[in-house]
Amino acid sequence: MPDDVPAAGEKKHAFATRMSHAARPPIRALGFVNPPVHRGSTVTSPSCEVRRENGKRRFERVMTYGTQGGPTHWQLEDVVAEIEGGTHCTITGTGLSAVTVPLMAWLKAGDRCLMPDSVYGPARNLAENVLPGWGIETQFYDPCIDAEGLEKLWTPNTRVLYLESPGSHTFEVQDVPALNAVAKRHGAISMIDNTWGIHSFQPFAHGCDVSIQALTKYVGGHSDILLGSVTVATQEHHHLVRGMASALGHYASPDDCWLALRGVRTMPVRLKHQTESSLQVAAWLAKRPEVLEVRHPALPGAPGHDLWKRDFDGGCSLFGIVFQPRYTEAEVFRFVDGLKLFGIGASWGGYECLALPTNGMLVRKVTPELPGQAVRLHIGLEEVADIIADLEQGLALLPQ
Ligand SMILES: *Cc1c(COP(=O)(O)O)cnc(C)c1O
């Protein structure tokens, strides 16, 4: 390689620049811009001795079998580690498996986990319906709890502090550094589901040990893949995560990794544009008489905005609205059904608008019920004036 080859993705560069170059070969080294897809189960070795030695180096990307992942996975791992500021990343088949793998890696029979009441639903399901059978207890806590409150919930067997900020559907922003300080004091591990904060929240700089991503969302960016990632900041943590993912047989399709690599190159511009559109839509909705509150942490005046401003450097286009208490579920369904540009569906982070009534999906144990019917909105790349016009005709279907 010539000496004057520009380095790929230097730290001093801005996010968009780094995403164009991260984990790529030096730009003057090879002809093709994008990598091939490496598919495979069998990996052959030049000799029995080499194969045996390679088997001992499974954490070093020295392969003996396809389940260890390959070059397509590794390139994506390096990009995600770069985005989140970690040292090692493990790609898993779904965002949900990126939640379950680290929980299983750190929790043993007799341990206890603290989870926010606003946690992603399937994570709650694992904690409530699977972990107890293995002797692991979960205590749910108010996501807006302060350090003192968290301290009161602590017990000697509390091993994991789980965070998700903002929370699923209700969008509470957590005081992550303060809560992590409590976990540190007790020698516990802190894990965060950082899917909403994909580029705007730096988990390791805020004291987290493990960061979970549903790459399905903005990294994929086109609603056509499922992938997750677990990123850590030490080799010891990496071996725990990789070891557990491997023990459980987790694997991700290299084709999906390739699509995620393709998606991530345009993610900065999509995120920026969609976030800006979502803030315009959110500000417009906040002024509507049908709407009681808008839960978009990046919107001035919204719940959690001060913490968001302190800890985040940007946002995304997923937020919630709560209707005035006078509206029934049937009326809010009429509004959502009447939207012409919004698909009705789960997941988010794609290029298109989505709307989802959320009251029926919410399980909350220690936080108050929502004061009205709620809808989660995901704003896509459509022109913002068209989105607002669509919402306006939808709201006109409600009794005034
Ligand atoms: C979607 C999502 C997940 C799970 O991702 P999948 O790829 O759909 O399994 C986990 N956490 C959060 C916050 C999510 O929104």
Side-chain angles (χ1 to χ4, degrees):
M1 192 190 306
D3 289 342
D4 63 348
V5 167
E10 288 177 22
K11 281 284 173 208
K12 66 179 163 57
H13 286 141
F15 180 54
T17 312
R18 286 189 284 119
M19 286 307 97
S20 267
H21 292 268
R24 277 176 52 197
I27 58 174
R28 285 189 202 120
L30 283 172
F32 289 105
V33 172
N34 288 326
V37 182
H38 291 265
R39 294 191 197 86
S41 50
T42 298
V43 176
T44 58
S45 301
S47 71
C48 298
E49 185 58 29
V50 168
R51 181 174 163 81
R52 185 170 63 189
E53 287 311 305
N54 285 352
K56 296 175 191 160
R57 299 171 59 200
R58 64 196 178 108
F59 294 120
E60 297 167 43
R61 296 181 171 174
V62 177
M63 289 187 64
T64 54
Y65 195 52
T67 50
Q68 293 161 282
T72 321
H73 299 82
W74 302 335
Q75 192 174 11
L76 180 60
E77 286 169 1
D78 290 348
V79 175
V80 175
E82 160 79 31
I83 297 172
E84 296 206 285
T87 54
H88 301 77
C89 170
T90 296
I91 299 296
T92 63
T94 61
L96 179 56
S97 55
V99 172
T100 60
V101 163
L103 286 171
M104 290 180 189
W106 268 279
L107 290 166
K108 305 280 172 277
D111 289 346
R112 187 165 169 270
C113 171
L114 290 171
M115 261 193 189
D117 212 21
S118 51
V119 76
Y120 174 64
R124 176 189 285 275
N125 176 52
L126 181 88
E128 287 186 334
N129 298 317
V130 179
L131 297 182
W134 300 343
I136 298 159
E137 183 202 342
T138 301
Q139 163 84 53
F140 289 93
Y141 65 90
D142 181 341
C144 299
I145 201 167
D146 61 10
E148 208 181 318
L150 189 71
E151 190 66 59
K152 287 197 189 115
L153 294 179
W154 213 272
T155 57
N157 63 338
T158 304
R159 280 286 293 147
V160 167
L161 172 65
Y162 194 94
L163 307 158
E164 182 181 330
S165 180
S168 275
H169 301 306
T170 40
F171 297 95
E172 296 90 343
V173 183
Q174 300 198 260
D175 191 346
V176 173
L179 302 183
N180 279 341
V182 177
K184 285 267 141 33
R185 207 155 48 241
H186 291 280
I189 287 286
S190 140
M191 304 178 184
I192 189 165
D193 183 332
N194 191 36
T195 304
W196 194 95
I198 172 75
H199 106 282
S200 58
F201 185 79
Q202 288 286 294
F204 303 102
H206 288 90
C208 301
D209 299 300
V210 178
S211 184
I212 293 157
Q213 278 292 336
L215 304 178
T216 304
K217 308 294 163 56
Y218 288 102
V219 173
H222 298 75
S223 308
D224 52 7
I225 61 165
L226 288 159
L227 276 182
S229 64
V230 185
T231 301
V232 294
T234 71
Q235 193 170 61
E236 184 199 341
H237 290 171
H238 176 57
H239 287 191
L240 270 168
V241 171
R242 206 50 152 232
M244 183 55 70
S246 158
L248 295 172
H250 281 288
Y251 179 71
S253 149
D255 295 273
D256 283 356
C257 293
W258 185 86
L259 282 167
L261 280 167
R262 189 169 150 135
V264 83
R265 306 299 178 193
T266 59
M267 184 175 74
V269 68
R270 286 186 284 108
L271 258 182
K272 189 162 183 257
H273 185 86
Q274 288 175 243
T275 304
E276 278 168 14
S277 297
S278 77
L279 282 168
Q280 288 184 47
V281 173
W284 181 83
L285 283 165
K287 293 203 194 98
R288 290 290 305 203
E290 301 87 349
V291 175
L292 178 69
E293 56 176 359
V294 174
R295 295 188 173 204
H296 192 324
L299 182 73
H305 181 71
D306 291 346
L307 280 177
W308 171 84
K309 207 166 162 178
R310 187 192 71 186
D311 293 345
F312 286 70
D313 177 25
C316 76
S317 69
L318 185 79
F319 66 100
I321 51 174
V322 182
F323 281 88
Q324 297 286 358
R326 66 175 180 275
Y327 292 112
T328 63
E329 185 183 67
E331 285 164 350
V332 169
F333 276 19
R334 195 186 311 155
F335 158 73
V336 173
D337 287 345
L339 296 173
K340 297 184 168 74
L341 295 177
F342 286 75
I344 304 168
S347 206
W348 43 280
Y351 56 83
E352 80 290 12
C353 285
L354 293 169
L356 192 67
T358 45
N359 294 61
M361 307 165 63
L362 292 185
V363 182
R364 297 288 185 265
K365 289 219 163 126
V366 298
T367 39
E369 270 191 30
L370 287 175
Q373 295 294 318
V375 174
R376 188 181 75 176
L377 295 178
H378 174 259
I379 302 303
L381 288 170
E382 297 90 339
E383 185 62 43
V384 71
D386 292 335
I387 298 170
I388 289 176
D390 192 33
L391 289 165
E392 188 162 30
Q393 66 80 29
L395 289 174
L397 301 172
L398 291 175
Q400 297 304 308

